[in-house]
Amino acid sequence: MKKLFLCIGILSISFLNAQDISDVIRYSQQEIRGTARYRALSGAFGALGGDLSALHVNPAGSAVFLNSHGAITLSSQSINNDVVFGNDLNPFNNFRNTSSTNINFNQLGAVFIYDNYNSESSGINKISLGLTYDQTTDNKDEFVVLGTTRNSIDDLFLADAQGIQLGLITPRAGETIDGLYAFLGENEGVRAQQAFLGHETLIIEANDLDDPTGTGYSSNIASGVFDQDYIYESTGLNGKFTVNLGAQIDQDFYVGVNLNSHFISYDRFTEFFETNNNTGSAINEVLFTNRLSTIGAGFSAQVGAIAKVANILRLGASYESPTWYSIEEETTQRLETFSNANGTAIVNPDVVNIFPEYTLRTPAKYTGSVAILFGQQGLISMDYSFKDYSSSRLSSDNNNDFSNLNSFVEDNLQNAYTFRIGSEWRDGNWSYRGGYSFEKSPYKNTLILGNKNGFSAGFGYAFEQFKFDVAYDYTQQKRNDQLYPGSGFSNSVLIENYTENITLTASMNF
């Protein structure tokens, strides 16, 4: 059983915890991965309603249902990452493709309709009550990096070690590796732990071995050429449970409100392997593994309205409040080196770093929608949503200072919009659908994360009170990932992501 040690949190834009701008984006972006009909129209449902996933765009959509309705959805997702290893030796010349597939139960819910037969006195024609679960993010991802570079992982440990006294990261008589690693985490933070790992595995060495107060270090890895392998794997999902209340007023106006309970489940594993045969190098192999586990819970609210302006035209508007998340995380590490002259050195602390809980406030979301209906034959629907990602904020009740990271978020993130358009046409019991979506990057520098484009198609068949729907959707987005963000090791990869989903929904009126 691993020992548990509480690490007093210090601000670190580091790969070791979720207090990082990339994770702010991960938990701020919510894409309802809902019913097949919703996905076939690329989610353009803000002025339509009448779909269980549509009420997450506009809560008033629940009151559009004519009858009580329930649905369940399964989705198969395929992820392809084309990875190019950018480095100083062979810039963007090391290509690798990684693909993975998984199946998710991503939607379940029901809306209950209560007609008001005395609507003349109140103006309320019906009331709707919705209870739903929807997956908002699939955290599964993986890619592999293979390449040759002149940059070594020693840069990471050197940068963290500079300024830390040698005596602090040297075990005293009777002190164990686990004990010192835990002590550093509790009292000094991530940088000291990294320095300790690098020193104990002989990657770095003090400039003055006899001065315990010395703070200067050099590398035992000689400069030259390095072969590097890097594996990234993440799993988990984010989702939300929603209680919805809606109403139809005077036949042509719909209103609604959502109360949302969110959750986060995210696990990440990385493994880095480096080899070299450089002349004078005392270390010839490095194997560095890290695991991160993140859980979180949050709350948000939504309000919305839909108006029938004419038989052919509907307009919609909705507001989603910020989500306030409470987030906890744990990490483990292992570092191993090999020397042709001296053999193997391993530091595998039997310690789980538990970081203090912190709060993330995501940006609010505003959506405007328009739908054109051609009787019972078909429709065209458009949504425009807006978020200010620079307004995201982190805070803590544990005396953690997030001012630097919040300033970094404000300086590097921007206002971003999403545009969705979808169409549906009916032929008897059959329905045929298609859609397109565009999502602007939340980063001011789109080389970090590019704009996202997607398209979708699908069909449905209805008989009596039952409906079966199928959808296919595809998205494409580029990003540039530093292997260890915020560290002294600058190697990065260019990733072009292609994601495909096939979604099946079974639903019924009752």
Side-chain angles (χ1 to χ4, degrees):
M1 179 69 68
K2 289 184 178 292
K3 297 185 270 304
L4 300 181
F5 295 90
L6 177 63
C7 294
I8 297 176
I10 63 171
L11 176 62
S12 175
I13 302 177
S14 163
F15 63 94
L16 285 179
N17 55 57
Q19 300 153 20
D20 177 275
I21 190 170
S22 64
D23 292 313
V24 170
I25 296 299
R26 177 181 296 110
Y27 303 136
S28 296
Q29 289 184 315
Q30 295 182 27
E31 180 177 351
I32 299 300
R33 311 172 69 85
T35 66
R37 183 175 179 235
Y38 174 90
R39 298 186 75 157
L41 272 72
S42 290
F45 265 90
L48 288 177
D51 182 275
L52 282 174
S53 294
L55 63 86
H56 293 284
V57 180
N58 190 333
S62 64
V64 176
F65 281 102
L66 299 177
N67 303 286
S68 296
H69 181 85
I72 185 172
T73 302
L74 294 176
S75 183
S76 173
Q77 177 175 266
S78 297
I79 302 172
N80 276 277
N81 287 319
D82 290 343
V83 180
V84 180
F85 186 22
N87 55 73
D88 58 321
L89 188 61
N90 294 305
F92 301 103
N93 196 33
N94 299 293
F95 175 83
R96 182 88 174 185
N97 173 267
T98 305
S99 61
S100 60
T101 301
N102 64 311
I103 296 176
N104 284 316
F105 161 69
N106 60 310
Q107 181 275 327
L108 174 68
V111 166
F112 303 92
I113 300 298
Y114 302 94
D115 292 312
N116 181 13
Y117 297 103
N118 296 314
S119 59
E120 291 184 2
S121 60
S122 65
I124 298 176
N125 308 114
K126 61 183 172 184
I127 295 174
S128 57
L129 173 64
L131 302 172
T132 68
Y133 158 77
D134 276 270
Q135 180 183 339
T136 58
T137 308
D138 187 344
N139 291 322
K140 182 175 178 57
D141 196 14
E142 61 182 80
F143 62 87
V144 176
V145 176
L146 297 174
T148 305
T149 176
R150 289 193 177 94
N151 297 327
S152 171
I153 191 71
D154 66 349
D155 290 339
L156 184 154
F157 301 101
L158 270 177
D160 282 343
Q162 303 303 335
I164 296 178
Q165 292 187 2
L166 174 62
L168 185 64
I169 60 174
T170 302
R172 301 177 181 179
E175 188 173 30
T176 66
I177 296 295
D178 293 355
L180 180 52
Y181 179 83
F183 171 83
L184 293 172
E186 292 172 346
N187 297 277
E188 303 296 332
V190 172
R191 285 188 57 237
Q193 287 184 318
Q194 299 294 99
F196 170 67
L197 292 175
H199 181 258
E200 282 300 302
T201 55
L202 308 179
I203 293 176
I204 60 174
E205 185 175 295
N207 294 335
D208 186 346
L209 299 177
D210 297 323
D211 181 10
T213 65
T215 59
Y217 300 84
S218 57
S219 175
N220 284 319
I221 299 178
S223 60
V225 175
F226 304 91
D227 292 320
Q228 295 175 347
D229 300 352
Y230 177 84
I231 298 173
Y232 176 104
E233 296 178 354
S234 64
T235 58
L237 58 88
N238 306 341
K240 66 179 179 180
F241 299 92
T242 297
V243 177
N244 165 273
L245 182 65
Q248 182 186 30
I249 302 173
D250 291 333
Q251 301 298 331
D252 296 329
F253 193 64
Y254 304 87
V255 294
V257 59
N258 289 348
L259 299 179
N260 305 309
S261 175
H262 301 255
F263 68 88
I264 293 171
S265 175
Y266 176 69
D267 293 283
R268 182 178 67 212
F269 168 81
T270 62
E271 182 176 87
F272 177 90
F273 181 61
E274 175 182 288
T275 63
N276 77 85
N277 289 307
N278 301 330
T279 302
S281 186
I283 299 296
N284 303 104
E285 295 181 5
V286 178
L287 179 63
F288 187 34
T289 61
N290 287 272
R291 295 182 183 273
L292 166 71
S293 178
T294 303
I295 59 172
F299 173 82
S300 70
Q302 295 168 268
V303 294
I306 297 174
K308 290 183 181 179
V309 179
N311 289 336
I312 195 174
L313 182 65
R314 291 185 187 179
L315 300 178
S318 63
Y319 165 78
E320 181 173 0
S321 75
T323 301
W324 289 269
Y325 282 112
S326 295
I327 298 175
E328 301 176 359
E329 59 188 2
E330 300 177 357
T331 64
T332 59
Q333 294 184 283
R334 183 181 187 276
L335 183 61
E336 177 180 344
T337 61
F338 175 78
S339 166
N340 291 335
N342 300 313
T344 301
I346 300 175
V347 177
N348 184 23
D350 190 25
V351 173
V352 176
N353 295 306
I354 301 178
F355 293 83
E357 180 179 279
Y358 66 96
T359 299
L360 169 65
R361 188 195 72 199
T362 69
K365 179 180 180 180
Y366 305 84
T367 302
S369 311
V370 58
I372 302 172
L373 289 78
F374 303 94
Q376 297 297 316
Q377 285 72 47
L379 59 88
I380 298 174
S381 179
M382 292 171 284
D383 286 359
Y384 180 91
S385 299
F386 171 86
K387 277 186 176 184
D388 181 7
Y389 285 91
S390 67
S391 66
S392 302
R393 291 293 182 269
L394 292 91
S395 60
S396 173
D397 294 330
N398 296 285
N399 297 318
N400 289 353
D401 181 9
F402 288 101
S403 58
N404 289 342
L405 181 53
N406 286 332
S407 296
F408 190 74
V409 166
E410 189 171 359
D411 292 341
N412 287 273
L413 300 185
Q414 64 177 353
N415 300 330
Y417 69 88
T418 300
F419 173 74
R420 304 175 188 271
I421 182 170
S423 183
E424 178 180 59
W425 297 90
R426 299 189 181 98
D427 181 11
N429 291 341
W430 292 91
S431 298
Y432 304 95
R433 304 160 183 141
Y436 169 78
S437 64
F438 174 85
E439 184 175 345
K440 184 176 176 62
S441 172
Y443 284 91
K444 293 178 180 178
N445 181 359
T446 56
L447 294 178
I448 298 174
L449 181 67
N451 302 324
K452 181 188 289 188
N453 288 275
F455 66 85
S456 58
F459 62 89
Y461 181 79
F463 68 98
E464 297 180 350
Q465 73 267 37
F466 299 99
K467 294 181 180 179
F468 295 94
D469 297 298
V470 179
Y472 168 84
D473 62 90
Y474 171 93
T475 59
Q476 179 180 357
Q477 188 174 38
K478 292 182 179 180
R479 70 180 191 265
N480 195 308
D481 282 0
Q482 189 176 347
L483 300 188
Y484 295 100
S487 74
F489 183 48
S490 61
N491 280 12
S492 63
V493 293
L494 177 64
I495 301 174
E496 187 155 10
N497 171 263
Y498 307 89
T499 301
E500 298 175 287
N501 291 277
I502 296 176
T503 305
L504 307 174
T505 297
S507 60
M508 66 176 293
N509 297 322
F510 56 90

